[in-house]
């Protein structure tokens, strides 16, 4: 088992690096007031109140001083003081090097916030350099730290940002300096390399460049506009999943984007989900409407619109349903966190004896989806009850059935999973898929959730074999999570070079001169599988659809009046999988000059030969 990050040596190293940075800063910038400096996921930071504004260019200087101080290999000692009074004295003297109470402002506030029964500790590091000058830094800190500053070798200061003291906008804005540190040079280099890669793959940038999606301030924050190529990817993904689902007995439904407040009162969302809902709308008859934050209550209405017998179950209702959630504007992040998005949602209404099989079916579908998308690295997390909490609804035996079914489903599918107690929703346990992308970053994507609460609230029933009413169990599931998030992830995973089946434009045909445009168009028609002969400029096309050969590729003819070199570069930039260059020779011989995104220039081949090479892609 991996040890938690918070208990690792790396975590201590980063914490000590934060202190080392603060030490360098107090030496270089007298009067700078230190606030807090913890380790974080990918490094560390320190919040500092500078006398003069601090500029990012100055990071080099701080880094240099840190290296000098690290080399002194200052021992880091933990000191526990007897009480807060003693701590106060230490802060005003040694911590601030006697610069006065003003410099100690934040530290004194932090000291005040420490509960009375808690131990108050300091970390003290000092050494004398070759010139005989003493360096010392002591900071109020809970720790833990490494034993001396020597091992802080592989670090880098990254950037600065503004941060309010205690995260409160009413307080003063401080300068937050971010840095990172690793235990080896290789790890640091890999991290920095991946950061560069991540920048190149940023889906917000690629989304614009490739014509996939965009945001506009006039439309509003977190509301994406899908451009033609992005809309095409959505269609391809949706079609793929719809096909898989209909094969598995799902039925499609369509529901509106707003609904009466009464629906969400019944579902309980008004109570539990209010802060994620857009402001309510009231009409002239004083009826209140809500912009849809969830599809579930709609599907429940559909379920309960008919008498259901045990033989009708499971009922699997699926919808690509667009929902709206009021995320804080500061938390919006490209396609990864938006205010309006489309879930590949479905709700399964099942009998208790079907729970295992249905859960298995859902997880199996998720695996099929991941494989198709080329997302082969993932982990599975099963969220169960926190045994010490009483926030959960539903009978103990139901929970037991659900938790065992989820685990058994994973076991039977040969899936490894980790159990995360306390991660269940208050209404049932769940399974999460956490995907690792090409750069090793983790993304929480699809979820399967068992629900005993909504069937109860809506009084859902089916007639059992015993002719008595029984309560179905609900499963919520979304293998993609949302189309927005999934396409955002896929854009970064593939750096915009989508696999052939998913590429919005799969083949570009590039006529060398105007006289080749008719031939290029004929080729395009053939690739698109038009059921008729294409005639352009009175010329008879040499290609006719072949009986029984199906091709419906997404093709673009680049008839722009650019030089061939320019056209090739532009289509390369668009990351189109195949370019077919056509000139005089090709027109005469019925060939195309094939350039593959992956394999480069493949030379001239007969169109049918090229078509044959696409089989199975
Ligand atoms: Zn500390
Ligand atoms: Zn749901």
């Amino acid at each position: 088992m991996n040890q938690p990050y918070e208990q690792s040596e790396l975590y201590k190293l980063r914490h000590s690096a934060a202190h080392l940075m603060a030490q360098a800063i107090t030496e270089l910038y007298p009067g700078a007031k230190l606030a807090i400096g913890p380790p974080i996921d990918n490094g560390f930071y320190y919040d500092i109140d500078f006398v003069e504004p601090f500029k990012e260019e100055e990071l080099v200087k701080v880094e240099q001083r840190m290296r000098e101080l690290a080399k002194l290999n200052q021992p880091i000692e933990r000191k526990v003081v007897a009480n807060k009074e003693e701590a106060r004295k230490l802060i005003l003297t040694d911590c601030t090097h006697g610069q006065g109470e003003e410099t100690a402002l934040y530290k004194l506030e932090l000291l005040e916030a420490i509960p009375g029964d808690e131990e108050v500790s300091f970390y003290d590091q000092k050494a004398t350099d070759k010139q005989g000058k003493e360096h010392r830094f002591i900071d109020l800190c809970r720790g833990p730290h490494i034993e001396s500053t020597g091992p802080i070798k592989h670090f880098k200061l990254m950037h600065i940002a503004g941060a309010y003291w205690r995260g409160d906008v009413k307080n003063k804005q401080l300068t937050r300096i971010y840095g990172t540190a690793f235990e080896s040079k290789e790890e640091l280099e890999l991290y920095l390399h991946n950061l560069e890669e991540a920048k190149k793959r940023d889906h917000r940038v690629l989304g614009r460049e490739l014509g996939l999606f965009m945001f506009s301030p006039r439309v509003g924050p977190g509301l994406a506009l899908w451009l033609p190529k992005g809309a095409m990817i959505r269609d391809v993904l949706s079609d793929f999943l719809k096909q898989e689902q209909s094969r598995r007995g799902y039925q499609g439904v369509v529901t509106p984007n707003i609904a009466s407040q009464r629906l969400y009162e019944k579902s309980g969302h008004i109570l539990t989900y209010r802060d994620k809902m857009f402001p309510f709308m009231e009409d002239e008859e004083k009826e209140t409407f809500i912009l849809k934050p969830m599809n579930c209550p709609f599907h429940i209405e559909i379920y309960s619109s008919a008498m259901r017998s045990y033989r009708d179950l499971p009922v699997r209702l699926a919808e690509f349903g667009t929902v709206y959630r009021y995320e804080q504007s500061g938390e919006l992040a490209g396609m990864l966190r938006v205010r309006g998005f489309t879930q590949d949602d479905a709700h399964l209404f099942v009998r208790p004896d079907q729970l295992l099989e249905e859960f298995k079916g859902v997880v199996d579908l998720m695996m099929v989806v991941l494989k198709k998308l080329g997302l082969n690295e993932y982990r599975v997390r099963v969220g169960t009850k926190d045994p010490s909490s009483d926030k959960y609804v539903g009978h103990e035996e139901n929970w037991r059935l659900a938790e065992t079914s989820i685990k058994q489903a994973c076991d039977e599918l040969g899936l490894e999973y980790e159990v995360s107690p306390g991660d269940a929703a208050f209404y049932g346990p769940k399974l999460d898929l956490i995907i690792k992308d090409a750069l090793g970053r983790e993304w929480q994507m699809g979820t399967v959730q068992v629900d005993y609460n909504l069937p109860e609230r809506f009084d859902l029933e089916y007639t059992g074999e015993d002719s008595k009413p029984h309560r179905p169990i609900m499963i919520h599931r979304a293998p993609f999570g949302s189309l927005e998030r999934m396409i955002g992830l896929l854009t970064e995973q593939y750096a915009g070079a989508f696999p052939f089946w998913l590429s919005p434009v799969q083949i570009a045909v590039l006529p060398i001169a105007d006289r080749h445009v008719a031939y290029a168009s004929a080729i395009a028609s053939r690739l698109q599988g038009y059921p008729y002969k294409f005639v352009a400029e009175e010329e008879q096309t040499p290609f006719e659809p072949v009986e029984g050969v199906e091709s419906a590729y997404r093709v673009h003819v680049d008839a722009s009046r650019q030089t061939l070199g320019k056209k090739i570069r532009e289509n390369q930039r668009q990351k189109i999988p195949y370019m077919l260059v056509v000139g005089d020779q090709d027109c005469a011989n019925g060939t195309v000059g094939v350039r593959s995104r992956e394999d480069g220039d493949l030379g001239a081949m007969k169109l049918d030969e090229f078509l044959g090479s696409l089989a199975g892609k």
Side-chain angles (χ1 to χ4, degrees):
M1 278 302 277
N2 268 341
Q3 160 196 49
Y5 174 51
E6 286 72 19
Q7 285 161 30
S8 66
E9 276 304 302
L10 181 61
Y11 190 80
K12 286 197 243 171
L13 176 84
R14 286 173 173 171
H15 195 167
S16 300
H19 280 216
L20 188 70
M21 177 169 84
Q23 181 178 24
I25 283 166
T26 49
E27 291 194 4
L28 293 167
Y29 302 90
K33 307 179 191 87
L34 301 179
I36 50 165
I40 49 172
D41 265 1
N42 290 309
F44 58 88
Y45 69 77
Y46 216 116
D47 285 348
I48 295 152
D49 187 354
F50 284 95
V51 181
E52 299 286 332
F54 182 87
K55 290 191 228 47
E56 202 148 298
E57 300 90 83
E58 297 170 63
L59 290 178
V60 188
K61 191 166 74 178
V62 178
E63 220 175 81
Q64 184 50 38
R65 179 61 65 98
M66 284 172 75
R67 292 196 197 286
E68 290 159 18
L69 290 167
K71 279 204 192 103
L72 300 176
N73 198 16
Q74 313 166 79
I76 304 173
E77 272 174 57
R78 181 165 194 265
K79 286 205 168 112
V80 178
V81 291
N83 51 45
K84 283 196 180 179
E85 200 33 54
E86 206 177 303
R88 202 182 143 77
K89 262 188 225 150
L90 200 54
I91 290 173
L92 289 173
T93 55
D94 295 358
C95 289
T96 53
H97 301 278
Q99 291 185 74
E101 192 153 346
E102 182 60 13
T103 338
L105 185 73
Y106 302 107
K107 292 295 172 191
L108 291 173
E109 215 180 303
L110 289 174
L111 177 66
E112 277 322 302
I114 298 176
D117 54 351
E118 208 175 279
E119 201 173 60
V120 180
S121 61
F122 286 80
Y123 280 82
D124 192 358
Q125 59 201 45
K126 57 173 176 280
T128 308
D129 67 19
K130 280 193 192 118
Q131 287 77 41
K133 184 168 178 265
E134 190 186 79
H135 299 269
R136 183 177 183 205
F137 178 73
I138 172 165
D139 201 359
L140 173 69
C141 179
R142 200 177 284 140
H145 282 273
I146 53 174
E147 278 161 21
S148 66
T149 60
I152 310 171
K153 284 190 187 118
H154 315 291
F155 63 90
K156 186 171 165 57
L157 300 186
M158 306 299 292
H159 59 99
I160 63 174
Y164 294 102
W165 168 235
R166 309 207 125 187
D168 187 339
V169 288
K170 291 195 274 312
N171 288 339
K172 187 165 186 189
Q173 197 176 37
L174 312 174
T175 304
R176 175 167 297 179
I177 305 182
Y178 285 100
T180 193
F182 284 88
E183 285 164 317
S184 73
K185 186 163 169 252
E186 292 71 28
E187 286 167 299
L188 175 65
E189 278 173 0
L190 180 66
Y191 174 75
L192 297 176
H193 169 80
N194 281 348
L195 271 188
E196 276 308 303
E197 263 307 298
K199 252 189 230 162
K200 277 191 243 162
R201 289 167 184 249
D202 188 330
H203 72 277
R204 290 164 295 191
V205 178
L206 284 173
R208 267 246 183 221
E209 281 177 9
L210 301 176
L212 305 177
F213 41 74
M214 58 171 275
F215 291 89
S216 153
R218 263 197 293 275
V219 174
L223 299 167
L225 297 175
W226 288 86
L227 303 173
K229 288 182 182 170
M232 178 57 79
I233 296 181
R234 267 177 83 109
D235 284 349
V236 174
L237 280 179
S238 311
D239 288 349
F240 154 67
L241 189 59
K242 278 182 189 166
Q243 234 175 51
E244 286 295 332
Q245 287 180 167
S246 76
R247 207 182 284 170
R248 290 155 196 262
Y250 285 75
Q251 297 169 295
V253 293
V254 179
T255 67
N257 279 323
I258 65 171
S260 164
Q261 176 175 5
R262 277 171 289 148
L263 181 66
Y264 294 101
E265 269 162 8
K266 185 84 180 151
S267 70
H269 286 119
I270 293 258
L271 283 176
T272 54
Y273 218 70
R274 182 74 176 85
D275 59 335
K276 282 281 170 77
M277 290 178 173
F278 269 85
F280 296 0
M281 297 166 260
E282 199 176 89
D283 73 2
E284 277 157 13
E285 288 155 29
K286 296 277 175 218
E287 167 115 38
T288 303
F289 289 90
I290 292 175
L291 202 48
K292 171 163 67 170
M294 303 250 186
N295 300 303
C296 343
F298 295 83
H299 295 182
I300 290 174
E301 283 300 306
I302 293 172
Y303 174 88
S304 55
S305 66
M307 291 287 291
R308 311 280 179 180
S309 106
Y310 68 98
R311 284 185 307 260
D312 301 329
L313 266 51
V315 172
R316 312 178 185 90
L317 302 178
E319 176 178 21
F320 280 82
T322 302
V323 295
Y324 298 89
R325 295 186 187 168
Y326 195 76
E327 304 286 354
Q328 295 300 311
S329 57
E331 283 170 9
L332 298 169
M335 286 300 211
L336 306 184
R337 189 163 289 185
V338 281
R339 285 180 170 173
F341 56 94
T342 303
Q343 292 179 307
D344 54 328
D345 214 354
H347 295 95
L348 289 74
F349 301 86
V350 311
R351 304 191 308 254
D353 63 291
Q354 294 171 325
L355 186 59
L356 172 63
E357 273 311 303
E358 286 305 305
F359 205 91
K360 242 170 89 178
V362 168
V363 176
D364 180 62
L365 172 62
M366 285 177 128
M367 297 300 121
V368 168
V369 167
L370 289 185
K371 188 151 183 254
K372 179 77 174 173
L373 296 177
L375 301 169
N376 297 319
E377 277 200 65
Y378 52 84
R379 59 195 175 89
V380 177
R381 187 173 61 201
V382 175
T384 58
K385 253 185 183 180
D386 168 3
S388 65
S389 166
D390 57 3
K391 68 169 181 178
Y392 304 99
V393 300
H395 298 297
E396 195 50 50
E397 60 183 304
N398 286 343
W399 276 83
R400 218 169 14 245
L401 171 69
E403 291 189 6
T404 12
S405 299
I406 295 177
K407 290 177 187 167
Q408 200 178 332
C410 292
D411 287 337
E412 288 182 20
L413 292 166
L415 269 187
E416 278 183 38
Y417 59 89
E418 55 198 86
V419 177
S420 179
D423 242 8
F426 72 90
Y427 49 85
K430 64 169 178 173
L431 178 150
D432 288 320
L433 272 179
I434 298 132
I435 292 163
K436 197 181 243 186
D437 76 3
L439 299 181
R441 297 170 300 179
E442 290 200 318
W443 310 58
Q444 149 116 46
M445 302 305 286
T447 297
V448 198
Q449 171 79 58
V450 179
D451 188 349
Y452 288 101
N453 177 47
L454 286 177
E456 195 75 35
R457 289 190 76 99
F458 282 86
D459 203 17
L460 297 187
E461 284 179 354
Y462 65 89
T463 311
E465 221 168 336
D466 55 5
S467 304
K468 288 188 184 129
H470 292 266
R471 186 85 70 222
I473 307 170
M474 246 177 107
I475 301 175
H476 311 247
R477 45 108 279 183
F480 295 152
S482 79
L483 285 170
E484 281 70 13
R485 212 173 141 78
M486 182 50 90
I487 294 174
L489 162 70
L490 290 174
T491 305
E492 302 211 357
Q493 171 80 0
Y494 291 110
F498 296 101
F500 184 74
W501 72 276
L502 197 54
S503 288
V505 174
Q506 296 172 301
I507 303 159
V509 189
L510 279 52
I512 293 175
D514 280 356
R515 63 180 181 281
H516 308 126
V517 171
Y519 177 74
S521 304
I523 287 172
S525 302
R526 174 71 178 84
L527 292 169
Q528 288 163 328
Y530 282 157
Y532 53 82
K533 240 193 272 190
F534 185 89
V535 180
E537 295 171 16
E538 307 306 316
E539 266 178 72
Q540 191 71 28
T541 156
F543 300 111
E544 288 178 39
V546 181
E547 265 325 300
V549 174
E550 272 191 46
S551 64
Y553 295 108
R554 298 183 288 276
V555 187
H556 165 68
V557 176
D558 187 349
S560 62
R561 291 208 160 154
Q562 302 282 3
T563 61
L564 180 63
K566 262 214 169 123
K567 281 188 196 181
I568 290 177
R569 278 194 299 281
E570 176 53 24
N571 287 285
Q572 262 166 354
R573 215 174 54 77
Q574 292 292 317
K575 304 181 194 268
I576 296 171
Y578 289 100
M579 279 183 254
L580 306 180
V581 177
V582 294
D584 290 333
Q585 288 286 321
D586 300 298
C587 291
N589 303 333
T591 55
V592 290
V594 182
R595 299 178 74 104
S596 139
R597 186 180 65 197
E598 271 75 40
D599 306 320
D601 195 344
L602 303 176
M605 54 178 96
K606 291 274 186 198
L607 183 60
D608 283 344
E609 193 187 335
F610 170 67
L611 265 172
S613 76
L614 296 179
K617 287 200 174 169

